[in-house]
Amino acid sequence: MSAITKEKKATIFTNFGGKAENTGSIEGQIALLTERINHISGHLKQNKKDFSSNRGLMQLVGKRKRLLTYLSKHNLTGYRQLIEKLGLRK
C-alpha cells in the first residue's frame, strides 16, 4: 500500500528541502507527511470503517502539527512560505 515511490520522495525533497539527499529538512518532512495524509484521506473516503487507517492518519496529522509548530518558532518566514506552497490553513 506504499503510495509514495522513491522517485516521488526525491521530487518532494528536491522541491521543499533543496536537494533529494536532504531528507532531514523540516520542510521536506512536512511536505512528505502532507502527501501521505492526502493519500490516506482518499482511502478513508472510500473505506469509512477502516479504523486502523484512521488512527494512523491521526498520528500523522499530530506529527505534522508538531513539526509545523517547531518550524513556526524557529523560522517564521519559511513556515509562512511552506503553508502557502502546500495550501494548508486556508
Side-chain angles (χ1 to χ4, degrees), residues 2-59:
S2 177
I4 301 175
T5 61
K6 283 185 178 183
E7 294 82 19
K8 195 166 189 176
K9 278 186 187 180
T11 57
I12 288 173
F13 281 111
T14 303
N15 292 338
F16 293 98
K19 291 193 266 182
E21 296 84 25
N22 191 8
T23 58
S25 70
I26 300 297
E27 294 88 356
Q29 290 181 26
I30 292 171
L32 186 65
L33 284 173
T34 303
E35 183 70 28
R36 288 179 65 196
I37 286 169
N38 291 338
H39 175 71
I40 294 175
S41 326
H43 169 76
L44 286 175
K45 286 180 183 174
Q46 295 174 353
N47 305 298
K48 295 184 188 303
K49 293 188 177 183
D50 189 358
F51 299 115
S52 60
S53 291
N54 191 14
R55 181 176 187 272
L57 175 68
M58 292 300 122
Q59 288 177 336

